[in-house]
Amino acid sequence: MQIKFNHIQDLADARYAASTMADFMGFAIDGPNAIELGKIQEIIGWCSGPKLCMEASSETSISKAKALCDVLPVEAFECNYEQAQEWHSQLPSDLEWIISDLPSSYTGPWLAAPKKVETFDAQTAQNLATDSFISLDCQAETQVGLKNYDPWNDFFDALENLL
């Protein structure tokens, strides 16, 4: 099973992702979940393990995607199918592609977007145990250093017991 943490907001989320041996750490490029480039650089400077994934919105331009690949060690891009078709020849050839709207008829190396985990309990873990790719959305801290990871801990404990 592959795991992706979506729109990482802070170092705590990145470290949590690394501790679960997640496959991808996603950072939103645009929109309400986007964080500044400097903050992304700071976070990845203190955390290693998961692959760095840039999460593009339909508004993201190829020039912005290229610029990010020039300054960050980007290993994956999550975007829509149309963007992937246009961008994949213009960005580094070794990128992994996670496609939000991958056609069911597609057969190739690109990954379909992971199934989002929205409820963190044993039943959800059991339902997802056979899925090959899941993701969890990160939230910004309401106060520095105050996040409750208990639901995620319970979910990953239940998932580990099933696998």
Side-chain angles (χ1 to χ4, degrees):
M1 171 183 293
Q2 291 192 77
I3 300 170
K4 179 180 178 281
F5 282 73
N6 302 317
H7 25 275
I8 299 278
Q9 298 290 308
D10 51 55
L11 182 57
D13 288 342
R15 286 186 171 167
Y16 192 94
S19 75
T20 65
M21 293 186 275
D23 298 278
F24 299 95
M25 282 190 306
F27 292 89
I29 297 172
D30 297 312
N33 295 311
I35 61 173
E36 296 176 5
L37 175 62
K39 190 168 181 181
I40 295 172
Q41 290 172 312
E42 181 181 341
I43 290 169
I44 64 173
W46 283 99
C47 187
S48 64
K51 296 173 186 171
L52 177 61
C53 179
M54 296 288 96
E55 300 165 340
S57 72
S58 60
E59 307 303 314
T60 305
S61 68
I62 183 63
S63 60
K64 188 168 193 172
K66 285 180 181 179
L68 289 168
C69 287
D70 288 343
V71 296
L72 293 171
V74 178
E75 297 169 281
F77 249 94
E78 183 169 356
C79 60
N80 65 44
Y81 187 64
E82 184 179 317
Q83 287 168 314
Q85 288 180 306
E86 178 186 337
W87 294 0
H88 95 281
S89 64
Q90 299 179 55
L91 295 177
S93 62
D94 58 346
L95 286 177
E96 290 188 52
W97 293 87
I98 302 168
I99 312 303
S100 59
D101 58 348
L102 194 64
S104 58
S105 61
Y106 174 81
T107 56
W110 296 349
L111 298 169
K115 185 170 185 180
K116 281 193 180 186
V117 178
E118 296 179 2
T119 306
F120 303 101
D121 58 24
Q123 183 61 48
T124 302
Q126 186 171 2
N127 293 344
L128 296 171
T130 58
D131 285 336
S132 60
F133 197 7
I134 63 170
S135 68
L136 299 89
D137 287 345
C138 298
Q139 304 294 322
E141 293 175 321
T142 53
Q143 291 182 349
V144 176
L146 291 179
K147 274 195 176 181
N148 181 5
Y149 289 105
D150 289 342
W152 283 3
N153 291 336
D154 294 344
F155 172 76
F156 280 108
D157 285 347
L159 192 60
E160 185 177 353
N161 289 334
L162 294 167
L163 300 177

